[in-house]
Amino acid sequence: IIANAVCQPDFAEDMVGAVILVLDVTEKEAQEQYRREFTANVSHELKTPLTSISGIAEIIRNGIVKPEDIPHFAGKIYDESQRLITLIGDIIKLSRLDENQVPMERETVDMLEMARDVVQQLSSVARKNGVTLVANGTHGQVQGVRQVLGEMVYNLCENAVKYNRAGGRVWVDVQQVADHVVLRVKDTGIGIPAAEQGRIFERFYRVDKSHSKAVGGTGLGLSIVKHGAALHHATISVSSEPEQGTEITLTFPAA
Ligand code: ADP
């Protein structure tokens, strides 16, 4: 806190009062620090795939790669480019939420229908991973920004599929409980150690960096969920057991 007392010495005799200016700079400084860290993280995350792409291009240009190996290296360039595209997409989504640049037209969204749409979108990834993914429950209406609600449900379900194993299951359940709509995403996946559960909503935080990279994570998915929840006055709770699975619950005020 910075406090400034202002008075004019020449008029001190006639002085009848003083102006005290109190500014809370703690919040501002924290935001500044946050921004600096975010920029450093983004730069690092963008640089890694680009370095790999340019390294591969370099060895191809120098004729070091045998013609029969070209498809393999082309595949690597493609994968790294996809990683960049997903990352940039997530950064744009997050900064839109951060700066309240979300179109404010709210509409009534049925969360069960939303969950079923997401299950449909992820069905081929789930099948590829050998994971069964289903959505059930009752209809529950939320007043919100459809696109953001879709991104939130998608990110939770995608994680439940990604951090899972062949033969695993994911259930999405929607219930209207009194004046709330409760959406639960439960999986039988690898789980999250208790000490990490409080950190997974931080930007770029991953429990296991190499695993996340292997399954295609950006580390921003749950930050988008957190910001989206704040926008919709929803609460988030996590319950997880390593090697058993994870359940993440979003509780929205009902429309
Ligand atoms: P990512 O893009 O790496 O998946 P997220 O922000 O979506 O990033 O999640 C952050 C981290 O939380 C993940 O890297 C993973 O370690 C952990 N995590 C998220 N959801 C789950 C889940 N359902 N089961 C196990 N771990 C999870």
Side-chain angles (χ1 to χ4, degrees):
I1 305 235
I2 293 178
N4 249 338
V6 183
C7 75
Q8 298 272 15
D10 296 350
F11 300 111
E13 278 172 19
D14 307 327
M15 196 174 74
V16 288
V19 178
I20 295 179
L21 180 67
V22 180
L23 279 176
D24 184 354
V25 290
T26 349
E27 172 73 2
K28 239 181 146 162
E29 241 159 45
Q31 274 179 7
E32 227 6 83
Q33 164 87 2
Y34 196 56
R35 227 171 266 280
R36 273 197 300 270
E37 274 172 20
F38 185 56
T39 310
N41 277 329
V42 167
S43 315
H44 173 77
E45 297 289 331
L46 292 175
K47 211 170 162 196
T48 311
L50 275 173
T51 306
S52 160
I53 290 171
S54 100
I56 296 169
E58 181 75 17
I59 58 170
I60 293 175
R61 190 178 63 177
N62 292 343
I64 299 170
V65 176
K66 287 186 248 149
E68 63 269 29
D69 289 335
I70 297 268
H72 167 73
F73 285 101
K76 283 216 169 297
I77 291 178
Y78 178 82
D79 290 347
E80 294 295 341
S81 315
Q82 287 303 313
R83 213 156 91 77
L84 275 175
I85 290 168
T86 311
L87 180 62
I88 291 165
D90 277 357
I91 292 169
I92 292 170
K93 283 176 201 159
L94 202 53
S95 64
R96 243 184 23 210
L97 280 171
D98 227 11
E99 289 157 25
N100 281 331
Q101 283 180 5
V102 178
M104 276 301 139
E105 308 94 65
R106 295 191 176 229
E107 53 185 298
T108 306
V109 178
D110 186 298
M111 294 308 285
L112 180 60
E113 277 168 24
M114 172 69 78
R116 286 183 172 149
D117 281 353
V118 169
V119 164
Q120 185 66 32
Q121 288 169 47
L122 283 166
S123 61
S124 65
V125 181
R127 209 172 311 120
K128 210 174 93 197
N129 292 9
V131 172
T132 313
L133 170 65
V134 289
N136 277 310
T138 57
H139 291 278
Q141 324 275 333
V142 165
Q143 196 67 22
V145 184
R146 180 177 291 280
Q147 192 188 337
V148 176
L149 291 168
E151 284 161 10
M152 292 164 70
V153 179
Y154 186 93
N155 291 351
L156 290 180
C157 293
E158 191 190 35
N159 281 348
V161 170
K162 275 193 324 193
Y163 301 106
N164 217 314
R165 315 180 171 82
R169 296 182 67 85
V170 177
W171 301 269
V172 191
D173 179 60
V174 179
Q175 299 291 333
Q176 167 121 25
V177 181
D179 50 0
H180 286 95
V181 175
V182 181
L183 181 136
R184 289 185 309 146
V185 180
K186 187 174 162 122
D187 66 62
T188 56
I190 61 172
I192 305 162
E196 314 269 2
Q197 287 172 22
R199 302 205 58 190
I200 53 173
F201 293 90
E202 290 173 22
R203 291 166 188 211
F204 295 115
Y205 191 83
R206 295 164 195 144
V207 175
D208 177 348
K209 263 198 178 259
S210 58
H211 183 86
S212 292
K213 194 181 172 203
V215 295
T218 64
L220 293 177
L222 289 181
S223 297
I224 293 171
V225 172
K226 186 176 96 177
H227 280 73
L231 186 74
H232 291 92
H233 309 289
T235 58
I236 309 174
S237 71
V238 180
S239 139
S240 185
E241 187 76 44
E243 307 305 320
Q244 301 297 314
T246 301
E247 181 173 330
I248 298 189
T249 306
L250 297 177
T251 305
F252 297 90

